[in-house]
Amino acid sequence: MSQDLPRLESLIGYQLKHLQSLLRARMEEVLRPLELSTPQYACLELLRRSPGASNSELARGAFVTRQAMNTLLRGLQERGLVTRPSTVDTGRARPTTLTPEGEQLLDEAVAAVAGIEERLVSGLDEDAQRGFAEAIESCIEALQD
Amino acid sequence: MSQDLPRLESLIGYQLKHLQSLLRARMEEVLRPLELSTPQYACLELLRRSPGASNSELARGAFVTRQAMNTLLRGLQERGLVTRPSTVDTGRARPTTLTPEGEQLLDEAVAAVAGIEERLVSGLDEDAQRGFAEAIESCIEALQD
DNA sequence: ATCAATATGTCAGGTTTCTGACATCTCGAA
DNA sequence: TTCGAGATGTCAGAAACCTGACATATTGAT
């Protein structure tokens, strides 16, 4: 029997979860005054980069289900932050777009969140940051499919 | 106006979320046959390393609220995987312990999950793995408090 | 010794997200 | 052309998790 258990803090998966938990908490702190949740913020960011994205595309980009993104989008729509045509000429996908209000709120959110990502990597020099990003990329690749 | 948006894939926070999402999915795949969720698995792992841990301690270790851990523990208790004394001599904390059945199931879970963590870092050599772990540690430190 | 601050367990209610299911639409192969 | 596979939007129900609240117990400062 191998009774030598590695310390929990040395397990990559555990530390990854720890870091994600902290990052989420910090983001929610600064987004709360704007009445935005982390997934909502992610959705707005996705929309600025991909105007006219469909519900399913946004769901994939935010790593949630279509159903979750659907309810999330309704909330943003009721607040006038995004718009979706009620009917569409072809297909089922309804392209979503940021409204001016949505863009403005996103700008505020970006400003609020900027400091966090900066703080996140504040202990790493430029080389280490690049190595970190490459390592994450490699892990994503390895777990795909 | 700075209209130069960095690619989403180059944002550390976004990639971190992506990786966490993939890791979670892979773990749930292999834990489903054992009828264990990822938080339940984490709870069992914590208990093996810290026998007699309280509900609150387990909650902190699994990065969920006390309330969530409480209901989670009840499920494990009903399945006979952990035990908690109904009364305790001092304090309110009820120390939780793995039952033999719990230990056995945990062994199976560890075996099932082992391959995933291995696969996760399969694209990194030993130096890169160490650097990766150190980078995560640094980021955790930077976001604390 | 006392009392405020802190930690713990737990109940209640609400929000978010998920799984399952179904109808609709596009597209490519037979 | 036709039809089956895949993608999309959406509804309904369930599961997981969170916030708020309260009682209880420990601890440390006064």
Side-chain angles (χ1 to χ4, degrees), chain A residues 23-138:
Chain A
L23 179 56
R24 182 104 174 202
R26 293 298 160 268
M27 288 185 64
E28 283 177 354
E29 282 171 10
V30 300
L31 289 176
R32 188 166 304 127
L34 305 176
E35 301 196 72
L36 280 178
S37 68
T38 306
Q40 285 173 331
Y41 167 71
C43 177
L44 297 182
E45 273 281 18
L46 285 164
L47 280 175
R48 181 155 66 175
R49 288 175 170 73
S50 303
S54 72
N55 178 38
S56 287
E57 288 170 336
L58 294 170
R60 281 191 295 268
F63 310 108
V64 297
T65 61
R66 290 172 296 170
Q67 295 87 333
M69 180 55 71
N70 198 323
T71 61
L72 190 158
L73 273 181
R74 289 176 193 227
L76 296 179
Q77 196 169 6
E78 284 175 8
R79 289 169 62 185
L81 302 174
V82 306
T83 47
R84 280 195 293 177
S86 47
T87 67
V88 68
D89 48 347
T90 174
R92 300 203 77 194
R94 292 200 282 153
T96 310
T97 315
L98 283 178
T99 64
E101 292 80 10
E103 288 193 47
Q104 182 180 340
L105 186 61
L106 176 55
D107 283 337
E108 297 179 42
V110 167
V113 166
I116 296 180
E117 183 125 359
E118 191 176 339
R119 178 176 163 193
L120 176 78
V121 295
S122 60
L124 305 174
D125 60 35
E126 205 164 328
D127 278 356
Q129 286 187 29
R130 189 160 25 80
F132 189 35
E134 288 173 0
I136 295 176
E137 189 77 38
S138 163

Side-chain angles (χ1 to χ4, degrees), chain B residues 66-122:
Chain B
R66 292 173 295 170
Q67 296 86 334
M69 180 56 70
N70 198 322
T71 61
L72 190 157
L73 271 182
R74 289 175 193 228
L76 296 178
Q77 196 169 3
E78 284 175 9
R79 289 169 62 185
L81 301 175
V82 306
T83 49
R84 279 196 293 177
S86 48
T87 67
V88 67
D89 49 347
T90 176
R92 299 202 79 195
R94 292 200 284 152
T96 310
T97 316
L98 282 179
T99 64
E101 292 81 10
E103 289 194 45
Q104 182 180 341
L105 187 61
L106 175 55
D107 283 338
E108 297 180 42
V110 167
V113 167
I116 295 179
E117 184 123 359
E118 192 176 337
R119 179 176 162 192
L120 177 77
V121 296
S122 60

Side-chain angles (χ1 to χ4, degrees), chain B residues 42-78:
Chain B
C43 177
L44 296 182
E45 273 281 17
L46 285 164
L47 280 175
R48 180 154 69 175
R49 287 175 170 76
S50 303
S54 72
N55 178 37
S56 286
E57 289 170 335
L58 294 171
R60 282 190 293 269
F63 311 110
V64 296
T65 60
R66 292 173 295 170
Q67 296 86 334
M69 180 56 70
N70 198 322
T71 61
L72 190 157
L73 271 182
R74 289 175 193 228
L76 296 178
Q77 196 169 3
E78 284 175 9

